[in-house]
Amino acid sequence: MNATAAAASTIDVASTSFFHDISYLKLFLSFIAIILVWDQVSYIQKKGSIAGPRFKIYPIIGPFLESLDPKFEEYKAKWDSGELSCVSIFHKFVVISSTRDISRKIFQATKYVKPCVVDVAVKILRPQNWVFLDGKAHTDYRKSLNGLFTRTSLAQYLPSMEDVIDKYMDKFIQYSKDKNYEPTIYFHEMREILCALSLRAFCGNYISEDQIRKIADDYYLVTAALELVNFPIIIPFTKTWYGKRTADMAMKIFEDCAQQAKDHIAAGGESICVMDAWCKLMYDAKTKNDEDSRLLHREFSNKEISEAIFTMLFASQDASSSLACWIFQIVADRPDVLAKIREEQMAVRDGHPERRVDLDMINQMTYTNMVIKETLRYRPPVLMVPYVVKQNFPVTPNYTAPKGAMLIPTLYPSLHDPEVYENPDEFIPERWVEGSKASEAKKNWLVFGCGPHVCLGQTYVMILFAALIGKFALYTEFKHTVTPLSEKIKVFATIFPKDDLLLTFKKRDPLTGKVSE
């Protein structure tokens, strides 16, 4: 082959390679174009006539970056945009309800929807966990738990919870003293005390102080792992990995506690915590044959009890921590409210502040309970509750939510409805007096949801916070430092003051009102 022929051959090979590469590039670009078009067309079809961006401004990912730092103002803009609105993030098409009646319809539509959490939640909470059950299986399991949260059962847990309150009162006072009574962030301390209260109520004395501290210190890792937008695969040293490690550690502790509770009840011991009460129900069911008892005839394993207790902690921790932050801030900022709470607390104790709290006292705390209820209305810890659509759901006459979509009933708008709550953006405990418009508007009271999945622990919350704020009001002088961010809302699973709550605590004599350092 001469030089000219060789050169021609080389050019021919190079040309073939070039056009071959061009073909692969075209194929790749065509594939990308098809995906982008499909993503937009799918979004437009699912959106229909409801409020939301006309197109996905950011193809595929949607408002992913905004969702990494959720802002209350952006949520509110969504609620204000229409009774139904939507967004689409990656493969998740999300429909948001902003009206009371549509939200209630979603809560009660078990035929069409079931509660859901983020994809990784199944791995963290365990796939066989009762919260992922649906239909009759869920209803039956829930019936077996109902007896743990009656007022009679909750009265048994009060003594151990008051011990925790006493301990943390001393701790907060000392903490403020160590800080020279300078305003200090109490966001983390509020999360810790609520975690300790729940763990003592759930596990009694079977859980040690060190174990409580460990779970309380690490629990925020579970919250972070279950944020709305997180990578669904557990990769070492990511949020989801740390969250699962914390959950596994806590569940192992709870399994050990469950066995101790079983042994205690079998030996004739008294019930003083949720685990005791559950084991007692199982033990007593063996000699009964009514419908509810039959659900408890089988022996729930330590693993099942552990997983259920963890979901109770999951359900309570962030919401109750939110309520604690807001109620301490709100009461501290309103001396007239604090004075009325103190007056009532002395009255229900017949002028003897040292009396230990019991259910009869709680029942007499009319004003204190109005303050708690108004705090829940004014700053509801949970803004929205995610559900997944099991089959196409005609949410309104004009819109059907597609199967697989996430459907989110919103709680905040119904709790700030000016037709029910006059001056809804003002804190007015007296609006809850018996027979008032607010107290009669049962349909608007969506703080704990409604329907088959209504919060199991709503009575527990009211009793716990009456004991908590009542005792702190009597024995401490707590001051809040107001900043421009105090009334701004930070979203971290639930809602918190944006400045993370600046407080100081001093010791107070409940009889004289004298404050000492």
Side-chain angles (χ1 to χ4, degrees), residues 61-268:
I61 67 171
F64 170 71
L65 298 177
E66 291 92 328
S67 67
L68 293 176
D69 181 24
K71 293 180 172 58
F72 174 78
E73 293 76 16
E74 293 172 356
Y75 285 145
K76 193 170 186 308
K78 273 288 179 190
W79 306 331
D80 293 342
S81 68
E83 63 179 16
L84 290 174
S85 59
C86 68
V87 294
S88 180
I89 300 176
F90 289 116
H91 64 295
K92 289 289 185 186
F93 182 74
V94 182
V95 180
I96 302 164
S97 156
S98 63
T99 69
R100 178 198 70 185
D101 291 340
I102 294 179
S103 291
R104 290 184 66 86
K105 181 176 181 179
I106 295 168
F107 278 127
Q108 296 169 338
T110 53
K111 175 183 176 182
Y112 294 102
V113 300
K114 66 177 180 179
C116 71
V117 277
V118 293
D119 293 339
V120 78
V122 175
K123 301 180 180 71
I124 291 177
L125 300 179
R126 311 280 175 82
Q128 66 274 16
N129 199 303
W130 79 281
V131 296
F132 300 118
L133 297 176
D134 195 23
K136 187 176 186 303
H138 175 270
T139 301
D140 287 348
Y141 204 114
R142 186 186 173 95
K143 282 181 180 178
S144 71
L145 301 178
N146 284 340
L148 309 180
F149 292 96
T150 64
R151 294 185 76 83
T152 302
S153 294
L154 292 169
Q156 301 171 25
Y157 319 147
L158 269 172
S160 60
M161 289 194 290
E162 188 167 11
D163 289 341
V164 174
I165 293 170
D166 290 343
K167 173 188 153 189
Y168 274 88
M169 279 197 307
D170 293 340
K171 180 176 179 177
F172 286 4
I173 291 167
Q174 185 62 46
Y175 184 54
S176 287
K177 184 177 181 179
D178 293 343
K179 298 288 184 179
N180 295 316
Y181 300 106
E182 290 294 321
T184 306
I185 288 175
Y186 266 79
F187 167 77
H188 304 288
E189 277 62 38
M190 290 299 168
R191 288 180 64 83
E192 183 181 321
I193 184 177
L194 266 299
C195 189
L197 281 163
S198 293
L199 289 173
R200 192 60 76 198
F202 297 160
C203 303
N205 293 322
Y206 308 126
I207 188 167
S208 71
E209 291 288 338
D210 288 343
Q211 289 171 329
I212 288 176
R213 169 60 67 87
K214 178 62 176 171
I215 295 172
D217 285 348
D218 292 354
Y219 192 82
Y220 79 96
L221 296 170
V222 176
T223 303
L226 295 174
E227 289 172 336
L228 183 61
V229 179
N230 252 336
F231 201 60
I233 299 173
I234 295 178
I235 299 173
F237 309 110
T238 61
K239 286 182 181 180
T240 52
W241 184 78
Y242 285 114
K244 187 174 188 303
R245 282 212 323 172
T246 299
D248 290 347
M249 174 269 295
M251 288 188 207
K252 179 64 177 67
I253 292 171
F254 296 159
E255 281 190 54
D256 294 340
C257 293
Q259 185 58 54
Q260 292 180 63
K262 286 180 178 178
D263 295 342
H264 174 72
I265 295 300

Side-chain angles (χ1 to χ4, degrees), residues 44-55:
I44 293 168
Q45 287 178 334
K46 291 175 180 176
K47 174 184 180 297
S49 60
I50 65 176
R54 186 174 179 183
F55 302 102

